[in-house]
Amino acid sequence: MATVTFDKATRIYPGGTKPAVDQLDIAIEDGEFLVLVGPSGCGKSTSLRMLAGLEDVNGGAIRIGDRDVTHLPPKDRDIAMVFQNYALYPHMTVADNMGFALKIAGVNKADIRKKVEEAAKILDLSEYLDRKPKALSGGQRQRVAMGRAIVREPQVFLMDEPLSNLDAKLRVSTRTQIASLQRRLGITTVYVTHDQVEAMTMGDRVAVLKDGLLQQVDSPRNMYDKP
Ligand code: ADP
Ligand code: ADP
């Protein structure tokens, strides 16, 4: 677990006339669930990708804990990310999908097994470990994608519209599951969505972006109270 700090973080795409993200300042607390929300094109993904190390930062800095990670490659940032298109390996079982990154990292089989089993328990996937992804529901697959991220025990967890491929009903139940999972793990989380209801129901705090500029950061309660 760790704090995450965007310190005037700025991204200007090559050929861009104005910043896609303009001097973003947010201090995220240890264990906090922060939601970045705003309309399409406001800079949410760019912000998340800067934090992940997938996008150059053209001004300002990004810190995880007290480490300046602004120019570190993704693998050295101790983060895990779940995308909108969480492609699972179709020929591998759920367990092997979840353990794959650990296998690549050279973790021994017994330890992988233990971590996979723990994650599966938390995610309610224990009875599906030997199945292939195609034998699972959309919501279960989505949880496998999360499992794949959490077995690595990252300091920070990033999610970019992870529910957008689910139907409306599943989206609501998965929303609750993700929020409670995050609270149980207590892992600092940055979650991107264009859906205001999702933002307000899931976040400890919600950061509203518009045209690359931060408009407001506050708890949902305080946002509702304000006119
Ligand atoms: P959001 O995630 O809120 O939809 P993005 O971060 O994807 O917003 O995009 C922010 C702005 O940056 C938009 O104007 C978008 O068109 C632009 N943008 C995003 N990716 C690129 C890119 N690879 N090259 C140039 N412009 C980009
Ligand atoms: P390999 O495919 O290299 O022979 P395994 O079949 O044992 O290795 O599975 C790959 C990884 O996934 C292993 O490291 C193992 O610990 C994990 N794994 C496989 N099946 C399960 C399971 N049912 N429960 C938990 N972890 C599993």
Side-chain angles (χ1 to χ4, degrees), residues 16 28 78 88 95 98 110 140 163 187 194 197 221 225:
I28 304 168
D78 224 349
L88 301 175
M98 284 170 61
Q140 289 165 340
L163 308 184
I187 185 171
H194 65 276
V197 176
R221 177 192 296 263
D225 286 349

Side-chain angles (χ1 to χ4, degrees), residues 1 5 14 19 23 29 38 49 52 71 79 91 95 119-120 126 147 160 166 177 185 189 194 206 208 217 222-223 225:
M1 280 205 283
T5 312
Q23 303 195 46
E29 288 167 30
R49 290 168 56 82
H71 302 293
I79 53 158
H91 58 286
S126 300
D160 193 349
L166 305 180
Q177 277 172 0
L185 296 172
T189 299
H194 65 276
V206 175
V208 183
V217 195
N222 286 343
M223 284 193 171
D225 286 349

